[in-house]
Amino acid sequence: MGLILANNELQQAHLYIRNKSHLALNHMAIPQLSYTFSENDRVNLSGASLSMLKQ
């Protein structure tokens, strides 16, 4: 499981979430984010993290 909390300051990231992984982003926004998910992954987004899906 990967957990990224709000006190981390990332400006850019490409996240590869694969092989039944679990990613949790808690109240964190990454301005330049791209991502790749497989169909068996689980992602939890909360707060500012939800706005990243609009990109």
Side-chain angles (χ1 to χ4, degrees):
M1 179 178 141
L3 175 62
I4 301 176
L5 300 172
N7 60 345
N8 289 290
E9 294 184 19
L10 300 176
Q11 295 301 311
Q12 181 179 23
H14 183 89
L15 304 176
Y16 290 95
I17 313 301
R18 299 183 184 221
N19 300 321
K20 298 182 182 179
S21 297
H22 180 190
L23 172 68
L25 295 176
N26 294 324
H27 304 288
M28 179 183 186
I30 303 171
Q32 296 178 6
L33 175 68
S34 59
Y35 45 83
T36 303
F37 297 112
S38 70
E39 59 188 51
N40 294 317
D41 299 323
R42 200 169 77 186
V43 177
N44 292 59
L45 303 173
S46 63
S49 302
L50 289 171
S51 67
M52 294 185 304
L53 293 177
K54 295 179 183 179
Q55 296 181 353

